[in-house]
Amino acid sequence: PFLQQLSKLDQAYAKYKIDCFLKRFPRAVQHIAPLCENDEKMLEECMELVKKHSLFEAAMKAFSDDLNAYKKICNIFGDHLRIKGKLSEASLMYERGGDYQQALSSARNTLDWQRCILLAKKYGNDTAQLKELAGKLISSLNENNRCKESSELVRRFFSDDKKMLIETLVSGRLYTEALLEITLNGDEDFIDAILKPRLAAHLDDTI
């Protein structure tokens, strides 16, 4: 019955069915790929096979000339990587798939702030949107004791807020750098208002 069924099928689709039967799944993708153009049902069948057996690399190669299908595979691959906790790789795949929001979200979850800013700029965020994103990244970096990096964002996006920069540096116990900034900018008031109290508290905790 199986052979009789195959004889009624398109030759390429029959090869696909045979490969599936023999569990030669990467070859199955190669055989069904040409049939998926302008056939959503066939493409969906292929995508299910790709997801079920994690055939992402084989599918990307097979659909390299079909931009629509290629992007779908990249996004499915991105979902797979995200579930596995490989967020940096997932972000790259989502970008290939044209899913900017997921690419940015994955990058934010790894606190890859440089990539976040690059993605936001690449996909057309204006100055106000970039500044808003930078503010969120600064908060997340500070919460994870990455104040040196957050100070870079403060310098780039909040250069007129000297107090914010000093507080960020002091939060990261970057006291010498904070003192340098205060001295260079002539903001000696910050020494008594911010630097000395925080340094004294740090010393009390250390002793």
Side-chain angles (χ1 to χ4, degrees):
F2 180 60
L3 293 176
Q4 290 179 346
Q5 181 187 15
L6 292 174
S7 66
K8 299 175 183 178
L9 300 176
D10 173 89
Q11 186 177 11
Y13 192 63
K15 289 180 179 179
Y16 160 76
K17 285 291 190 181
I18 292 169
D19 284 328
C20 287
F21 179 76
L22 297 175
K23 298 183 179 181
R24 300 185 302 200
F25 300 115
R27 288 186 59 179
V29 172
Q30 292 176 9
H31 283 130
I32 198 175
L35 305 176
C36 294
E37 188 174 1
N38 302 319
D39 190 329
E40 285 297 323
K41 186 176 180 181
M42 195 74 72
L43 180 60
E44 185 62 29
E45 181 176 346
C46 180
M47 293 299 106
E48 287 301 317
L49 181 73
V50 169
K51 285 189 285 187
K52 184 177 181 180
H53 298 287
S54 301
L55 303 168
F56 308 109
E57 293 181 9
M60 289 168 69
K61 184 177 180 180
F63 287 95
S64 59
D65 295 328
D66 185 337
L67 185 59
N68 178 55
Y70 183 84
K71 286 186 173 183
K72 284 187 176 183
I73 293 161
C74 288
N75 288 325
I76 291 172
F77 196 5
D79 292 340
H80 173 78
L81 291 167
R82 178 170 51 81
I83 292 169
K84 294 288 186 181
K86 298 180 179 180
L87 296 176
S88 296
E89 295 90 337
S91 179
L92 293 171
M93 276 299 129
Y94 284 131
E95 185 180 5
R96 281 193 186 187
D99 192 337
Y100 156 70
Q101 292 296 337
Q102 284 290 359
L104 181 59
S105 176
S106 295
R108 280 189 63 182
N109 285 331
T110 62
L111 292 182
D112 188 346
W113 62 271
Q114 292 172 319
R115 176 164 170 76
C116 287
I117 297 298
L118 287 170
L119 282 168
K121 183 66 176 177
K122 180 178 179 180
Y123 287 93
N125 284 22
D126 59 26
T127 302
Q129 290 171 318
L130 288 172
K131 192 170 183 177
E132 181 183 359
L133 174 61
K136 293 176 181 177
L137 290 168
I138 288 167
S139 295
S140 297
L141 288 166
N142 286 341
E143 289 170 4
N144 286 271
N145 298 315
R146 291 169 60 176
C147 298
K148 177 68 173 177
E149 293 167 273
S150 65
S151 69
E152 290 296 316
L153 281 167
V154 174
R155 287 188 175 97
R156 291 173 186 272
F157 292 96
F158 301 91
S159 58
D160 57 336
D161 193 338
K162 301 302 180 184
K163 183 179 179 181
M164 183 179 184
L165 177 58
I166 300 306
E167 288 180 335
T168 300
L169 292 170
V170 170
S171 294
R173 298 178 178 177
L174 302 166
Y175 303 115
T176 302
E177 191 170 345
L179 181 59
L180 178 61
E181 288 289 340
I182 291 170
T183 303
L184 290 176
N185 292 305
D187 297 319
E188 281 77 10
D189 290 345
F190 289 146
I191 294 177
D192 291 328
I194 302 174
L195 185 57
K196 283 184 178 180
R198 297 291 288 276
L199 181 56
H202 171 58
L203 291 174
D204 288 341
D205 291 339
T206 304
I207 296 173

